[in-house]
Structure formats: C-alpha cells, structure tokens
Amino acid sequence: MSAPADHRPVLFRNGTVLTMDDAHTVLTGADVLVVDDTVADVGTGLAAPDGAVEVDASGGIVMPGMIDTHRHMWQTAMRAYGADWTLTQYFVWYYLEHGKHFRPEDIHAGNVLSAWESLEAGVTTTVDWSHGLQTTDHADAAADALESVPGRFVLAYGNIQAAPWEWTADAAVRSFFERRTRSDRLGFQLAFDVTGDPSFPERAAYEFARDLGLAVTTHAGVWGATNDDGIRLAHEAGLIGSDDVFVHAATLTADSYHRIASTGASISVSTESEQSAGQGYPPTWQVRQHGIPVSLSMDTSVWWSGDLFTAMRSTLGADRSREHLEAHVKGDTVTHSSLRAEHVVEWATRGGAAALGRDDLGQLVAGKKADVVLIKNDHSPVSFPLLNPYGHVAFQAQRGDVHTVVVDGHVVKADGRLVGADLPAMRTAVDNTVDFLVSTIGEDAWMSGMNPDLPPGSVLDNPYQYTDYKSDATREARGTMFGDPGS
C-alpha cells in the first residue's frame, strides 16, 4: 500500500479487530473505516467511500494505537548507552554530572528520533517526560521537535537541574505555556518529583500546575529517592488531581495506594525499568488490589526497548513470577493466572488514554479518533496461526510486525515503512549530539560511563569433585571470557 494523500479515507479490510470497547469486543473478518480524523465505522462488509485506500488486513490484527505515558525522549540520542547502569549511575550521569551539557539542539535531536521510534512501533501517543529542560530554549526545542512529527505527544515539562519550586517561579516558564499552543496532537503536563521534605516545598510547583490547568506526572515510590511521605503531603494538601500520573509507584505502602485510589489518579508502570534499574518490584499486583487505573511506559531508550510490546510481556512476566513465587513459598501452586494478556493490552491502549483524560483515544469505536495500528507480517512464520489475538499482541508481536499506523487519520507507516521520516537527517543530528557530548566530557569519561565497573563476585565451592571444573586450565579460560570471578 502506498501512503494516501492527506485524509483520503482508509479502509482496513478483513482483519481481526480488537475494538477495546467497553465489552472488549473482538471481531473476526471485520473492517475498520477511517474518514478524516475519525473512526467512521467498524463492522463486516463495509462499503468503501470514493477514493478510499483499502488495506488488506487479512491474517492481521487491527487495534487502537498504543499510548506510552512516560518516556524520556530527549535521552534517545544515547540509545543503549546505559544498558548496564543501575539507577544510581543514571542519576549521577544525568542529574549530577553530564545532563547539564545537553544543548537545545540535542534535546531536539533526541525528541525527533524518539517520536519516529514511537510511531514505528505502533505507539501513536507518547508522553515526553522531558526533565532536561534547563531553559525555555530547551523547552521550545523539545516542543518544536514533537510538532514536526505526525504523532500525538504530551510534553511533560521538567528540569532536573533546579528544584521544581524554583523553575516554576521563572516568568519565562509561565510565558512558555502562555505562548505555546495546545492542540489535539500536542498537550502539556508538569513533570517533577516530590522528595518527602516535611516542609513540602513542591507545593508551589503543584499550585503552578493547577493555575495553568496542567496535570502533574511524578516519579513516585522509587527506592531511595521518593516515598510515602511525598504522596501523603500532596494528598493532605488536596493537590492530587484525577489527571495526575504516578510513575513506577513501586515501593509504596498500602496507605499511599489508598490515597492515590481516593483521588482517581493513575499509575504508569515501567516494568523493564523497575526490574532492571531498581526502583522497586513492578507494582501491578498491588495496584490491582486497590483498583487504581494503570497505563504502561518504557521509560528511556538509554537503557531499554522503545516499544510497548516489550512492556506488555515484561509486565505479564513480572506479575506472574511474583504470583508463582509467593505461592511456592507457602507450598502452594498457582493454577490460574490473575493477570491476563487482555489486561495488559488494555493498559497499553485504553489505560493510557484514561491516564491522559482522552476518552476519544484507545478504542476502535465509531466516533473515536482515528489512531489505528495493523499488526501483520506475511513474511514471518510467527504471524500464524492467529488463535488468541490478545496473547498474540502481548507475547508474539514485535515492532517489525507493525504493518500500518494511522494517527489522526494520517498514514504514518505503510507496508512496514515509515512515511515521511527523514532518517539520514535524524542520524546526522544525533551523530552531532554524540560527538558534542564526547568532546565535552572527554573520551575517557564517555567510555567509563558506558562501561561501569563490574562488582566483585565469587563462584561457590563445588563439593562434587569428579569434574575438572576448578582446574587451572578451566579457570584460566573462564577468566579470559568473563573476567576472573575468583574461586
């Protein structure tokens, strides 16, 4: 399929349709018709309007565009750099040492690359948790980048180089929000963390957000950084809104979950991040007990994947692993999984829409916004048989299986290829950012930052001496491959 001209009708024909409506209706051999920026109809045997482009969805899954509620897009220029970091090393690199070196053009380069990365993976709406905005020039660069890409985005304005009550008091920041236009495809939030200081200095930042009608997104329940006191202070001050998003929320007590639940606010779970960086165990098992709405996010490409397929499967894995472990400790066996593939697909679509207050997104229902994804790969043996569509999305599909993406009625990916993305220009801009960072901090610091020291370890003594496992030759070989772990 070639990309149609702007707002030609698009008809997805004969696919398995995950409507994600209130009943979670699944239709087989069904059609989805997009006219202008709206889902016009969903059903079987739909008539194609004049000039419509028909997409053969047979053997594929048509679903709502996915929504990522927490992604540090500005860091994408450093893709995979911090693959072996801990959260402490992340904080040191960005918060204390080198994050301050990013120029506005570096923010722009990371955001453009990340925005196209989202669309390529079927993520049609992404929250840019943009805490590298040291100046309003940086903020304008971030917003300009998002507006240059044909997806939906929310710029969550933040600045880790200053306290939130300081940068929100800057007249230039208020001016930014007054002169930048909110639109159907670009919204705004305020992004800052609450440390639990009894004096609650973050109150001023909350009041700034409320004055401007902005939701607050905050890293909550992060081991060693944010805790229950931050939730309590904001709740007792009456400053938590139903549109606020608590990211991670992994080390909180029941009291904090009760407070969040009472406000109608939601939690953004970043399972890859929580498992790898150490914010705490992914909290879906607790969140479900308190009835708190959930959305999914991938956090940052400096570490992890940039797609929600991985978020869905890692979330299922973490939740089920804990369920099994707790049962085994008690001598029991889990016979029925509590968290299902259908649940995480909902979190990746309607959950994200609800978190952003966008009930016009996340569903393939007539009258909703036309953000549509077709998962289909006729060149892959993994594309069939298609028996359980929720299971297929959560465990089998990947970004390379995203065939077509429509945002606001515009085709932004067709036949597995992005439409209108200037990859050479993106590569040049990101290469310039990397070159600048390396030259600024120095080659040695750059390389050591990417390769943190391996902590000392040891191999347990093996009482079974019938092998030559601990022979000099074997130990020498292991030391060559992995670094000598000791005896």
Side-chain angles (χ1 to χ4, degrees), residues 61-86:
I61 298 170
V62 187
M63 63 180 290
M66 290 174 275
I67 298 172
D68 184 327
T69 53
H70 159 242
R71 183 180 303 207
H72 303 297
M73 297 174 71
W74 64 286
Q75 297 172 354
T76 306
M78 294 177 60
R79 184 188 308 284
Y81 178 92
D84 296 318
W85 277 352
T86 62

Short mmCIF file of all heavy atoms in Angstrom, two decimals, residues 61-86:
data_model
loop_
_atom_site.label_atom_id
_atom_site.label_comp_id
_atom_site.label_asym_id
_atom_site.label_seq_id
_atom_site.Cartn_x
_atom_site.Cartn_y
_atom_site.Cartn_z
N ILE A 61 -4.02 -8.22 12.85
CA ILE A 61 -4.79 -7.68 13.98
C ILE A 61 -4.87 -6.17 13.82
O ILE A 61 -3.85 -5.49 13.70
CB ILE A 61 -4.13 -8.02 15.32
CG1 ILE A 61 -4.08 -9.54 15.52
CG2 ILE A 61 -4.84 -7.34 16.48
CD1 ILE A 61 -3.23 -9.97 16.71
N VAL A 62 -6.09 -5.64 13.81
CA VAL A 62 -6.30 -4.20 13.80
C VAL A 62 -6.66 -3.78 15.22
O VAL A 62 -7.59 -4.32 15.82
CB VAL A 62 -7.42 -3.80 12.82
CG1 VAL A 62 -7.50 -2.28 12.70
CG2 VAL A 62 -7.19 -4.42 11.45
N MET A 63 -5.92 -2.83 15.77
CA MET A 63 -6.11 -2.44 17.16
C MET A 63 -5.93 -0.93 17.29
O MET A 63 -5.40 -0.27 16.39
CB MET A 63 -5.12 -3.17 18.07
CG MET A 63 -3.66 -2.85 17.78
SD MET A 63 -2.51 -3.74 18.88
CE MET A 63 -2.82 -2.91 20.45
N PRO A 64 -6.35 -0.37 18.41
CA PRO A 64 -6.11 1.06 18.63
C PRO A 64 -4.62 1.35 18.75
O PRO A 64 -3.83 0.49 19.17
CB PRO A 64 -6.83 1.36 19.95
CG PRO A 64 -7.74 0.20 20.19
CD PRO A 64 -7.10 -0.97 19.53
N GLY A 65 -4.23 2.57 18.40
CA GLY A 65 -2.84 2.97 18.62
C GLY A 65 -2.49 2.89 20.09
O GLY A 65 -3.31 3.19 20.97
N MET A 66 -1.27 2.45 20.38
CA MET A 66 -0.83 2.31 21.77
C MET A 66 -0.38 3.66 22.33
O MET A 66 -0.06 4.58 21.59
CB MET A 66 0.29 1.27 21.84
CG MET A 66 -0.21 -0.14 21.60
SD MET A 66 1.10 -1.40 21.51
CE MET A 66 1.59 -1.25 19.78
N ILE A 67 -0.37 3.75 23.67
CA ILE A 67 -0.11 5.02 24.35
C ILE A 67 0.92 4.79 25.45
O ILE A 67 0.72 3.96 26.35
CB ILE A 67 -1.41 5.59 24.95
CG1 ILE A 67 -2.41 5.87 23.81
CG2 ILE A 67 -1.13 6.86 25.75
CD1 ILE A 67 -3.80 6.24 24.30
N ASP A 68 2.04 5.49 25.37
CA ASP A 68 3.12 5.41 26.35
C ASP A 68 3.05 6.64 27.24
O ASP A 68 3.17 7.77 26.75
CB ASP A 68 4.47 5.34 25.62
CG ASP A 68 5.66 5.16 26.54
OD1 ASP A 68 5.62 5.68 27.68
OD2 ASP A 68 6.65 4.54 26.13
N THR A 69 2.86 6.46 28.54
CA THR A 69 2.63 7.59 29.43
C THR A 69 3.87 8.09 30.16
O THR A 69 3.75 8.93 31.06
CB THR A 69 1.54 7.23 30.46
OG1 THR A 69 1.90 6.01 31.13
CG2 THR A 69 0.19 7.07 29.79
N HIS A 70 5.07 7.64 29.73
CA HIS A 70 6.28 8.08 30.44
C HIS A 70 7.51 7.65 29.65
O HIS A 70 7.91 6.50 29.71
CB HIS A 70 6.28 7.48 31.86
CG HIS A 70 7.61 7.41 32.53
ND1 HIS A 70 8.18 6.20 32.90
CD2 HIS A 70 8.48 8.36 32.91
CE1 HIS A 70 9.34 6.42 33.49
NE2 HIS A 70 9.56 7.73 33.51
N ARG A 71 8.07 8.59 28.91
CA ARG A 71 9.27 8.28 28.12
C ARG A 71 10.17 9.52 28.09
O ARG A 71 9.74 10.59 27.69
CB ARG A 71 8.89 7.88 26.69
CG ARG A 71 10.07 7.48 25.83
CD ARG A 71 9.67 7.09 24.41
NE ARG A 71 8.71 6.00 24.37
CZ ARG A 71 8.59 5.15 23.34
NH1 ARG A 71 9.38 5.28 22.29
NH2 ARG A 71 7.69 4.19 23.37
N HIS A 72 11.42 9.35 28.52
CA HIS A 72 12.38 10.46 28.50
C HIS A 72 12.96 10.54 27.09
O HIS A 72 14.07 10.05 26.80
CB HIS A 72 13.46 10.24 29.54
CG HIS A 72 12.93 10.08 30.94
ND1 HIS A 72 12.23 11.08 31.58
CD2 HIS A 72 12.96 9.03 31.80
CE1 HIS A 72 11.87 10.66 32.79
NE2 HIS A 72 12.30 9.42 32.94
N MET A 73 12.23 11.21 26.23
CA MET A 73 12.55 11.18 24.80
C MET A 73 13.87 11.86 24.48
O MET A 73 14.58 11.46 23.55
CB MET A 73 11.40 11.81 24.01
CG MET A 73 10.08 11.04 24.16
SD MET A 73 8.65 11.83 23.39
CE MET A 73 9.03 11.60 21.65
N TRP A 74 14.25 12.86 25.26
CA TRP A 74 15.47 13.61 24.98
C TRP A 74 16.73 12.74 25.13
O TRP A 74 17.78 13.07 24.56
CB TRP A 74 15.57 14.83 25.89
CG TRP A 74 15.68 14.55 27.38
CD1 TRP A 74 14.70 14.12 28.22
CD2 TRP A 74 16.85 14.73 28.20
NE1 TRP A 74 15.17 14.01 29.50
CE2 TRP A 74 16.48 14.38 29.53
CE3 TRP A 74 18.15 15.15 27.96
CZ2 TRP A 74 17.37 14.44 30.60
CZ3 TRP A 74 19.04 15.22 29.02
CH2 TRP A 74 18.65 14.85 30.32
N GLN A 75 16.62 11.61 25.81
CA GLN A 75 17.78 10.75 26.03
C GLN A 75 17.99 9.73 24.91
O GLN A 75 18.95 8.96 24.95
CB GLN A 75 17.63 10.03 27.37
CG GLN A 75 17.60 10.98 28.55
CD GLN A 75 17.25 10.32 29.87
OE1 GLN A 75 16.91 9.13 29.90
NE2 GLN A 75 17.31 11.07 30.96
N THR A 76 17.12 9.74 23.91
CA THR A 76 17.18 8.72 22.86
C THR A 76 18.44 8.84 22.02
O THR A 76 18.87 7.86 21.41
CB THR A 76 15.92 8.78 21.98
OG1 THR A 76 14.77 8.70 22.83
CG2 THR A 76 15.86 7.64 20.99
N ALA A 77 19.05 10.01 21.99
CA ALA A 77 20.32 10.17 21.26
C ALA A 77 21.42 9.31 21.88
O ALA A 77 22.47 9.11 21.25
CB ALA A 77 20.74 11.63 21.24
N MET A 78 21.20 8.79 23.07
CA MET A 78 22.18 7.93 23.74
C MET A 78 21.66 6.50 23.82
O MET A 78 21.95 5.77 24.76
CB MET A 78 22.49 8.46 25.14
CG MET A 78 23.21 9.80 25.16
SD MET A 78 23.46 10.41 26.84
CE MET A 78 24.44 9.09 27.56
N ARG A 79 20.96 6.07 22.80
CA ARG A 79 20.33 4.75 22.79
C ARG A 79 21.30 3.65 23.24
O ARG A 79 22.41 3.50 22.71
CB ARG A 79 19.83 4.44 21.38
CG ARG A 79 19.08 3.12 21.28
CD ARG A 79 18.77 2.74 19.84
NE ARG A 79 18.12 3.80 19.09
CZ ARG A 79 16.85 4.14 19.21
NH1 ARG A 79 16.08 3.51 20.09
NH2 ARG A 79 16.33 5.11 18.47
N ALA A 80 20.88 2.87 24.24
CA ALA A 80 21.59 1.69 24.77
C ALA A 80 22.89 2.04 25.49
O ALA A 80 23.57 1.14 25.98
CB ALA A 80 21.87 0.67 23.68
N TYR A 81 23.23 3.31 25.61
CA TYR A 81 24.47 3.70 26.29
C TYR A 81 24.51 3.15 27.71
O TYR A 81 25.53 2.64 28.17
CB TYR A 81 24.58 5.23 26.31
CG TYR A 81 25.79 5.79 27.03
CD1 TYR A 81 26.96 6.06 26.34
CD2 TYR A 81 25.76 6.03 28.40
CE1 TYR A 81 28.07 6.60 26.99
CE2 TYR A 81 26.86 6.56 29.07
CZ TYR A 81 28.01 6.84 28.37
OH TYR A 81 29.11 7.36 29.01
N GLY A 82 23.40 3.24 28.42
CA GLY A 82 23.38 2.84 29.83
C GLY A 82 22.83 1.45 30.07
O GLY A 82 22.25 1.20 31.13
N ALA A 83 23.04 0.55 29.13
CA ALA A 83 22.46 -0.79 29.24
C ALA A 83 22.84 -1.50 30.54
O ALA A 83 22.07 -2.33 31.04
CB ALA A 83 22.89 -1.64 28.04
N ASP A 84 24.01 -1.20 31.10
CA ASP A 84 24.47 -1.88 32.31
C ASP A 84 24.46 -0.98 33.53
O ASP A 84 25.08 -1.28 34.55
CB ASP A 84 25.88 -2.43 32.08
CG ASP A 84 25.92 -3.49 31.00
OD1 ASP A 84 25.01 -4.34 30.97
OD2 ASP A 84 26.83 -3.46 30.15
N TRP A 85 23.74 0.12 33.45
CA TRP A 85 23.64 1.04 34.58
C TRP A 85 22.72 0.51 35.68
O TRP A 85 21.82 -0.29 35.43
CB TRP A 85 23.04 2.37 34.12
CG TRP A 85 24.01 3.33 33.50
CD1 TRP A 85 25.36 3.25 33.44
CD2 TRP A 85 23.65 4.58 32.87
NE1 TRP A 85 25.88 4.35 32.79
CE2 TRP A 85 24.85 5.18 32.44
CE3 TRP A 85 22.45 5.22 32.63
CZ2 TRP A 85 24.87 6.40 31.78
CZ3 TRP A 85 22.47 6.44 31.97
CH2 TRP A 85 23.66 7.03 31.55
N THR A 86 22.97 1.01 36.88
CA THR A 86 21.98 0.97 37.94
C THR A 86 21.29 2.33 37.96
O THR A 86 21.71 3.27 37.28
CB THR A 86 22.63 0.72 39.30
OG1 THR A 86 23.53 1.82 39.58
CG2 THR A 86 23.41 -0.59 39.31
#
